[in-house]
Short mmCIF file of all heavy atoms in Angstrom, two decimals:
data_model
loop_
_atom_site.label_atom_id
_atom_site.label_comp_id
_atom_site.label_asym_id
_atom_site.label_seq_id
_atom_site.Cartn_x
_atom_site.Cartn_y
_atom_site.Cartn_z
N ALA A 184 -0.25 24.77 18.42
CA ALA A 184 0.68 25.70 17.79
C ALA A 184 0.09 27.10 17.84
O ALA A 184 -1.12 27.28 18.00
CB ALA A 184 0.93 25.29 16.34
N ASP A 185 0.96 28.09 17.69
CA ASP A 185 0.52 29.48 17.69
C ASP A 185 -0.34 29.81 16.48
O ASP A 185 -1.17 30.70 16.54
CB ASP A 185 1.72 30.43 17.74
CG ASP A 185 2.42 30.38 19.09
OD1 ASP A 185 1.75 30.06 20.09
OD2 ASP A 185 3.62 30.67 19.13
N ASN A 186 -0.10 29.10 15.36
CA ASN A 186 -0.90 29.33 14.16
C ASN A 186 -0.81 28.10 13.26
O ASN A 186 0.02 27.22 13.48
CB ASN A 186 -0.45 30.61 13.44
CG ASN A 186 1.01 30.57 13.07
OD1 ASN A 186 1.48 29.65 12.38
ND2 ASN A 186 1.77 31.56 13.53
N THR A 187 -1.64 28.10 12.24
CA THR A 187 -1.71 26.94 11.35
C THR A 187 -0.42 26.74 10.58
O THR A 187 0.04 25.62 10.41
CB THR A 187 -2.89 27.09 10.38
OG1 THR A 187 -4.10 27.23 11.15
CG2 THR A 187 -3.03 25.89 9.47
N ARG A 188 0.19 27.82 10.13
CA ARG A 188 1.43 27.70 9.36
C ARG A 188 2.53 27.05 10.19
O ARG A 188 3.27 26.19 9.70
CB ARG A 188 1.87 29.05 8.84
CG ARG A 188 3.04 28.94 7.90
CD ARG A 188 3.08 30.09 6.94
NE ARG A 188 4.26 29.97 6.11
CZ ARG A 188 4.23 29.64 4.83
NH1 ARG A 188 3.10 29.41 4.24
NH2 ARG A 188 5.34 29.55 4.15
N ALA A 189 2.65 27.42 11.46
CA ALA A 189 3.65 26.81 12.35
C ALA A 189 3.36 25.32 12.53
O ALA A 189 4.27 24.50 12.52
CB ALA A 189 3.67 27.53 13.69
N ALA A 190 2.09 24.99 12.69
CA ALA A 190 1.71 23.57 12.84
C ALA A 190 2.05 22.80 11.56
O ALA A 190 2.58 21.69 11.64
CB ALA A 190 0.22 23.45 13.16
N LEU A 191 1.75 23.38 10.41
CA LEU A 191 2.07 22.72 9.14
C LEU A 191 3.57 22.48 9.00
O LEU A 191 4.00 21.40 8.59
CB LEU A 191 1.59 23.58 7.97
CG LEU A 191 0.15 23.44 7.57
CD1 LEU A 191 -0.23 24.51 6.56
CD2 LEU A 191 -0.14 22.06 7.05
N ARG A 192 4.35 23.50 9.33
CA ARG A 192 5.81 23.37 9.23
C ARG A 192 6.30 22.19 10.06
O ARG A 192 7.10 21.38 9.58
CB ARG A 192 6.47 24.67 9.68
CG ARG A 192 7.96 24.73 9.40
CD ARG A 192 8.57 26.08 9.74
NE ARG A 192 8.01 27.14 8.91
CZ ARG A 192 7.23 28.13 9.39
NH1 ARG A 192 6.95 28.20 10.67
NH2 ARG A 192 6.76 29.05 8.59
N ARG A 193 5.81 22.08 11.27
CA ARG A 193 6.25 20.99 12.16
C ARG A 193 5.77 19.63 11.64
O ARG A 193 6.54 18.68 11.55
CB ARG A 193 5.74 21.24 13.57
CG ARG A 193 6.23 20.22 14.57
CD ARG A 193 5.99 20.58 16.02
NE ARG A 193 4.67 21.10 16.30
CZ ARG A 193 4.42 22.30 16.83
NH1 ARG A 193 5.41 23.11 17.12
NH2 ARG A 193 3.19 22.69 17.07
N VAL A 194 4.51 19.53 11.29
CA VAL A 194 3.94 18.25 10.85
C VAL A 194 4.59 17.76 9.57
O VAL A 194 5.00 16.60 9.46
CB VAL A 194 2.40 18.37 10.69
CG1 VAL A 194 1.83 17.17 9.97
CG2 VAL A 194 1.74 18.54 12.05
N ILE A 195 4.71 18.65 8.59
CA ILE A 195 5.29 18.24 7.31
C ILE A 195 6.76 17.91 7.45
O ILE A 195 7.25 16.94 6.85
CB ILE A 195 5.05 19.33 6.24
CG1 ILE A 195 3.56 19.38 5.89
CG2 ILE A 195 5.90 19.08 5.00
CD1 ILE A 195 3.16 20.52 4.98
N SER A 196 7.50 18.64 8.26
CA SER A 196 8.93 18.35 8.41
C SER A 196 9.17 17.04 9.14
O SER A 196 10.19 16.40 8.94
CB SER A 196 9.66 19.50 9.10
OG SER A 196 9.24 19.62 10.43
N GLU A 197 8.20 16.60 9.96
CA GLU A 197 8.38 15.38 10.73
C GLU A 197 7.81 14.13 10.06
O GLU A 197 8.11 13.02 10.50
CB GLU A 197 7.73 15.54 12.12
CG GLU A 197 8.44 16.54 13.00
CD GLU A 197 7.72 16.80 14.32
OE1 GLU A 197 6.66 16.21 14.56
OE2 GLU A 197 8.24 17.63 15.09
N ASP A 198 7.00 14.27 9.02
CA ASP A 198 6.35 13.11 8.41
C ASP A 198 6.63 13.07 6.92
O ASP A 198 5.99 13.76 6.13
CB ASP A 198 4.84 13.16 8.67
CG ASP A 198 4.12 11.90 8.24
OD1 ASP A 198 4.71 11.08 7.49
OD2 ASP A 198 2.96 11.72 8.64
N ALA A 199 7.58 12.23 6.54
CA ALA A 199 7.99 12.13 5.13
C ALA A 199 6.92 11.50 4.25
O ALA A 199 7.00 11.58 3.02
CB ALA A 199 9.29 11.32 5.02
N ASP A 200 5.90 10.87 4.84
CA ASP A 200 4.83 10.27 4.05
C ASP A 200 3.81 11.30 3.55
O ASP A 200 3.01 10.99 2.67
CB ASP A 200 4.10 9.19 4.85
CG ASP A 200 4.98 7.97 5.11
OD1 ASP A 200 5.93 7.74 4.31
OD2 ASP A 200 4.73 7.24 6.08
N ILE A 201 3.83 12.49 4.10
CA ILE A 201 2.95 13.54 3.59
C ILE A 201 3.53 14.01 2.27
O ILE A 201 4.64 14.55 2.22
CB ILE A 201 2.82 14.71 4.59
CG1 ILE A 201 2.12 14.24 5.87
CG2 ILE A 201 2.05 15.88 3.94
CD1 ILE A 201 2.12 15.26 6.98
N LYS A 202 2.77 13.79 1.21
CA LYS A 202 3.27 14.10 -0.13
C LYS A 202 2.59 15.31 -0.74
O LYS A 202 3.18 15.97 -1.60
CB LYS A 202 3.08 12.89 -1.07
CG LYS A 202 3.74 11.63 -0.59
CD LYS A 202 5.24 11.77 -0.46
CE LYS A 202 5.87 10.44 -0.06
NZ LYS A 202 7.25 10.56 0.32
N ILE A 203 1.35 15.61 -0.31
CA ILE A 203 0.62 16.74 -0.89
C ILE A 203 -0.24 17.39 0.18
O ILE A 203 -0.91 16.72 0.96
CB ILE A 203 -0.28 16.27 -2.06
CG1 ILE A 203 0.57 15.69 -3.18
CG2 ILE A 203 -1.16 17.40 -2.57
CD1 ILE A 203 -0.21 15.07 -4.31
N LEU A 204 -0.19 18.71 0.21
CA LEU A 204 -1.08 19.50 1.06
C LEU A 204 -2.22 19.99 0.19
O LEU A 204 -1.98 20.60 -0.86
CB LEU A 204 -0.32 20.68 1.67
CG LEU A 204 -1.15 21.73 2.41
CD1 LEU A 204 -1.86 21.12 3.62
CD2 LEU A 204 -0.25 22.89 2.84
N VAL A 205 -3.45 19.71 0.59
CA VAL A 205 -4.62 20.12 -0.19
C VAL A 205 -5.35 21.23 0.56
O VAL A 205 -5.74 21.06 1.71
CB VAL A 205 -5.59 18.93 -0.44
CG1 VAL A 205 -6.80 19.40 -1.24
CG2 VAL A 205 -4.87 17.80 -1.16
N LEU A 206 -5.49 22.37 -0.12
CA LEU A 206 -6.21 23.52 0.42
C LEU A 206 -7.30 23.93 -0.56
O LEU A 206 -7.17 23.69 -1.76
CB LEU A 206 -5.26 24.71 0.61
CG LEU A 206 -4.04 24.52 1.49
CD1 LEU A 206 -3.14 25.74 1.41
CD2 LEU A 206 -4.47 24.27 2.93
N ALA A 207 -8.33 24.58 -0.04
CA ALA A 207 -9.34 25.17 -0.91
C ALA A 207 -9.31 26.68 -0.72
O ALA A 207 -9.20 27.18 0.41
CB ALA A 207 -10.72 24.62 -0.59
N ALA A 208 -9.40 27.40 -1.83
CA ALA A 208 -9.40 28.87 -1.77
C ALA A 208 -10.77 29.34 -1.30
O ALA A 208 -11.80 28.71 -1.57
CB ALA A 208 -9.09 29.44 -3.15
N ALA A 209 -10.78 30.45 -0.60
CA ALA A 209 -12.03 31.04 -0.12
C ALA A 209 -12.88 31.48 -1.31
O ALA A 209 -12.38 31.71 -2.40
CB ALA A 209 -11.74 32.22 0.80
N VAL A 210 -14.17 31.59 -1.07
CA VAL A 210 -15.11 31.98 -2.12
C VAL A 210 -15.84 33.27 -1.72
O VAL A 210 -15.65 33.79 -0.63
CB VAL A 210 -16.13 30.86 -2.39
CG1 VAL A 210 -15.44 29.64 -2.96
CG2 VAL A 210 -16.90 30.49 -1.14
N GLU A 211 -16.66 33.74 -2.63
CA GLU A 211 -17.51 34.90 -2.39
C GLU A 211 -16.72 36.18 -2.13
O GLU A 211 -17.04 36.96 -1.24
CB GLU A 211 -18.49 34.63 -1.25
CG GLU A 211 -19.41 33.46 -1.51
CD GLU A 211 -20.29 33.13 -0.33
OE1 GLU A 211 -20.33 33.87 0.66
OE2 GLU A 211 -20.96 32.08 -0.40
N GLY A 212 -15.66 36.39 -2.88
CA GLY A 212 -14.93 37.65 -2.82
C GLY A 212 -14.19 37.92 -1.52
O GLY A 212 -13.86 39.04 -1.22
N ARG A 213 -13.94 36.89 -0.73
CA ARG A 213 -13.24 37.08 0.54
C ARG A 213 -11.74 36.94 0.39
O ARG A 213 -11.03 36.77 1.35
CB ARG A 213 -13.74 36.05 1.57
CG ARG A 213 -15.20 36.22 1.92
CD ARG A 213 -15.64 35.24 2.98
NE ARG A 213 -15.64 33.89 2.41
CZ ARG A 213 -15.20 32.82 3.05
NH1 ARG A 213 -14.72 32.91 4.26
NH2 ARG A 213 -15.26 31.63 2.48
N GLY A 214 -11.24 36.98 -0.82
CA GLY A 214 -9.82 36.76 -1.02
C GLY A 214 -9.55 35.26 -1.02
O GLY A 214 -10.45 34.46 -0.87
N PRO A 215 -8.30 34.87 -1.16
CA PRO A 215 -7.99 33.45 -1.27
C PRO A 215 -8.06 32.69 0.06
O PRO A 215 -8.06 31.48 0.08
CB PRO A 215 -6.56 33.44 -1.80
CG PRO A 215 -5.98 34.72 -1.29
CD PRO A 215 -7.12 35.71 -1.28
N GLY A 216 -8.11 33.40 1.16
CA GLY A 216 -8.05 32.77 2.48
C GLY A 216 -6.68 33.05 3.08
O GLY A 216 -5.71 33.24 2.35
N PRO A 217 -6.59 33.09 4.40
CA PRO A 217 -5.32 33.50 5.03
C PRO A 217 -4.16 32.56 4.76
O PRO A 217 -3.03 33.01 4.55
CB PRO A 217 -5.67 33.56 6.51
CG PRO A 217 -6.95 32.82 6.68
CD PRO A 217 -7.65 32.87 5.36
N LEU A 218 -4.40 31.26 4.75
CA LEU A 218 -3.29 30.33 4.54
C LEU A 218 -2.84 30.35 3.08
O LEU A 218 -1.63 30.36 2.81
CB LEU A 218 -3.68 28.91 4.96
CG LEU A 218 -2.55 27.92 5.01
CD1 LEU A 218 -1.40 28.40 5.90
CD2 LEU A 218 -3.04 26.57 5.49
N VAL A 219 -3.77 30.37 2.16
CA VAL A 219 -3.41 30.44 0.74
C VAL A 219 -2.65 31.74 0.47
O VAL A 219 -1.63 31.74 -0.22
CB VAL A 219 -4.65 30.31 -0.16
CG1 VAL A 219 -4.29 30.53 -1.62
CG2 VAL A 219 -5.30 28.93 0.02
N ALA A 220 -3.11 32.84 1.04
CA ALA A 220 -2.42 34.13 0.87
C ALA A 220 -1.02 34.07 1.46
O ALA A 220 -0.06 34.57 0.87
CB ALA A 220 -3.22 35.25 1.51
N SER A 221 -0.88 33.44 2.61
CA SER A 221 0.43 33.30 3.25
C SER A 221 1.38 32.49 2.39
O SER A 221 2.55 32.84 2.24
CB SER A 221 0.26 32.64 4.63
OG SER A 221 1.50 32.26 5.15
N ILE A 222 0.88 31.41 1.82
CA ILE A 222 1.72 30.57 0.97
C ILE A 222 2.12 31.33 -0.30
O ILE A 222 3.27 31.26 -0.74
CB ILE A 222 1.01 29.24 0.64
CG1 ILE A 222 0.97 28.38 1.90
CG2 ILE A 222 1.69 28.51 -0.51
CD1 ILE A 222 0.11 27.15 1.80
N ALA A 223 1.18 32.08 -0.87
CA ALA A 223 1.49 32.86 -2.07
C ALA A 223 2.56 33.91 -1.77
O ALA A 223 3.43 34.18 -2.59
CB ALA A 223 0.23 33.52 -2.60
N LYS A 224 2.50 34.50 -0.57
CA LYS A 224 3.44 35.56 -0.20
C LYS A 224 4.79 35.00 0.26
O LYS A 224 5.84 35.47 -0.15
CB LYS A 224 2.83 36.40 0.92
CG LYS A 224 3.70 37.55 1.36
CD LYS A 224 3.03 38.33 2.46
CE LYS A 224 3.92 39.44 2.97
NZ LYS A 224 3.33 40.14 4.10
N GLU A 225 4.74 33.99 1.13
CA GLU A 225 5.96 33.50 1.77
C GLU A 225 6.53 32.23 1.16
O GLU A 225 7.62 31.80 1.52
CB GLU A 225 5.68 33.25 3.26
CG GLU A 225 5.24 34.50 4.00
CD GLU A 225 4.74 34.18 5.40
OE1 GLU A 225 5.13 33.14 5.95
OE2 GLU A 225 3.95 34.98 5.92
N GLY A 226 5.78 31.58 0.29
CA GLY A 226 6.25 30.34 -0.30
C GLY A 226 5.91 29.13 0.54
O GLY A 226 5.22 29.23 1.55
N VAL A 227 6.38 27.99 0.12
CA VAL A 227 6.06 26.72 0.78
C VAL A 227 7.30 26.13 1.43
O VAL A 227 7.78 25.08 1.05
CB VAL A 227 5.42 25.72 -0.20
CG1 VAL A 227 4.03 26.15 -0.58
CG2 VAL A 227 6.26 25.58 -1.47
N LYS A 228 7.77 26.80 2.43
CA LYS A 228 8.95 26.32 3.16
C LYS A 228 8.47 25.50 4.35
O LYS A 228 7.86 26.03 5.28
CB LYS A 228 9.80 27.50 3.61
CG LYS A 228 10.35 28.29 2.46
CD LYS A 228 11.11 29.50 2.94
CE LYS A 228 11.54 30.32 1.74
NZ LYS A 228 12.05 31.62 2.13
N TRP A 229 8.74 24.23 4.33
CA TRP A 229 8.34 23.33 5.42
C TRP A 229 9.59 22.72 6.03
O TRP A 229 9.77 21.53 6.01
CB TRP A 229 7.40 22.24 4.91
CG TRP A 229 6.32 22.73 4.01
CD1 TRP A 229 6.17 22.45 2.69
CD2 TRP A 229 5.23 23.60 4.36
NE1 TRP A 229 5.06 23.08 2.21
CE2 TRP A 229 4.47 23.78 3.20
CE3 TRP A 229 4.84 24.23 5.53
CZ2 TRP A 229 3.32 24.58 3.19
CZ3 TRP A 229 3.71 25.01 5.51
CH2 TRP A 229 2.96 25.18 4.36
N GLY A 230 10.47 23.54 6.50
CA GLY A 230 11.74 23.04 7.00
C GLY A 230 12.58 22.64 5.80
O GLY A 230 12.68 23.36 4.83
N ALA A 231 13.16 21.46 5.84
CA ALA A 231 14.01 20.98 4.75
C ALA A 231 13.21 20.29 3.64
O ALA A 231 13.76 19.94 2.61
CB ALA A 231 15.05 20.01 5.30
N ARG A 232 11.91 20.10 3.86
CA ARG A 232 11.08 19.36 2.90
C ARG A 232 10.41 20.27 1.89
O ARG A 232 10.04 21.39 2.19
CB ARG A 232 9.98 18.58 3.64
CG ARG A 232 10.58 17.51 4.49
CD ARG A 232 9.71 16.30 4.69
NE ARG A 232 9.10 15.83 3.48
CZ ARG A 232 7.82 15.48 3.41
NH1 ARG A 232 7.04 15.56 4.45
NH2 ARG A 232 7.31 15.05 2.28
N LYS A 233 10.23 19.73 0.70
CA LYS A 233 9.45 20.39 -0.34
C LYS A 233 8.21 19.54 -0.59
O LYS A 233 8.34 18.36 -0.93
CB LYS A 233 10.27 20.52 -1.62
CG LYS A 233 11.48 21.39 -1.46
CD LYS A 233 12.31 21.42 -2.73
CE LYS A 233 13.56 22.24 -2.51
NZ LYS A 233 14.44 22.19 -3.67
N VAL A 234 7.05 20.12 -0.38
CA VAL A 234 5.79 19.40 -0.56
C VAL A 234 4.89 20.24 -1.45
O VAL A 234 4.66 21.41 -1.17
CB VAL A 234 5.10 19.13 0.80
CG1 VAL A 234 3.73 18.51 0.62
CG2 VAL A 234 5.96 18.22 1.67
N PRO A 235 4.39 19.65 -2.53
CA PRO A 235 3.47 20.40 -3.38
C PRO A 235 2.19 20.75 -2.63
O PRO A 235 1.75 20.03 -1.74
CB PRO A 235 3.15 19.42 -4.52
CG PRO A 235 4.14 18.32 -4.42
CD PRO A 235 4.64 18.30 -3.02
N VAL A 236 1.63 21.88 -3.03
CA VAL A 236 0.36 22.34 -2.47
C VAL A 236 -0.65 22.37 -3.60
O VAL A 236 -0.42 23.01 -4.63
CB VAL A 236 0.50 23.74 -1.85
CG1 VAL A 236 -0.84 24.22 -1.30
CG2 VAL A 236 1.55 23.74 -0.76
N THR A 237 -1.76 21.68 -3.41
CA THR A 237 -2.86 21.73 -4.36
C THR A 237 -3.91 22.66 -3.80
O THR A 237 -4.42 22.44 -2.70
CB THR A 237 -3.47 20.32 -4.58
OG1 THR A 237 -2.47 19.45 -5.11
CG2 THR A 237 -4.65 20.38 -5.54
N ILE A 238 -4.22 23.72 -4.56
CA ILE A 238 -5.24 24.68 -4.14
C ILE A 238 -6.42 24.52 -5.09
O ILE A 238 -6.29 24.75 -6.29
CB ILE A 238 -4.71 26.12 -4.16
CG1 ILE A 238 -3.50 26.24 -3.23
CG2 ILE A 238 -5.81 27.10 -3.76
CD1 ILE A 238 -2.79 27.57 -3.31
N VAL A 239 -7.54 24.11 -4.53
CA VAL A 239 -8.74 23.91 -5.34
C VAL A 239 -9.72 25.06 -5.08
O VAL A 239 -9.74 25.61 -3.97
CB VAL A 239 -9.40 22.54 -5.04
CG1 VAL A 239 -8.48 21.41 -5.42
CG2 VAL A 239 -9.82 22.42 -3.60
N PRO A 240 -10.51 25.43 -6.07
CA PRO A 240 -11.52 26.46 -5.84
C PRO A 240 -12.49 26.00 -4.75
O PRO A 240 -12.95 24.85 -4.77
CB PRO A 240 -12.23 26.59 -7.19
CG PRO A 240 -11.24 26.06 -8.19
CD PRO A 240 -10.48 24.98 -7.47
N GLY A 241 -12.77 26.86 -3.83
CA GLY A 241 -13.62 26.50 -2.69
C GLY A 241 -15.07 26.29 -3.03
O GLY A 241 -15.84 25.80 -2.20
#
Side-chain angles (χ1 to χ4, degrees):
D185 290 334
N186 57 56
T187 302
R188 188 154 177 109
L191 277 171
R192 189 175 296 112
R193 184 168 44 239
V194 168
I195 290 173
S196 67
E197 292 175 0
D198 188 345
D200 291 336
I201 295 172
K202 303 299 184 191
I203 297 174
L204 171 62
V205 179
L206 303 173
V210 295
E211 300 175 8
R213 296 182 291 138
L218 190 55
V219 174
S221 168
I222 289 170
K224 181 180 177 184
E225 300 171 23
V227 289
K228 297 176 185 169
W229 314 114
R232 294 210 45 225
K233 296 176 184 175
V234 174
V236 178
T237 299
I238 301 173
V239 297

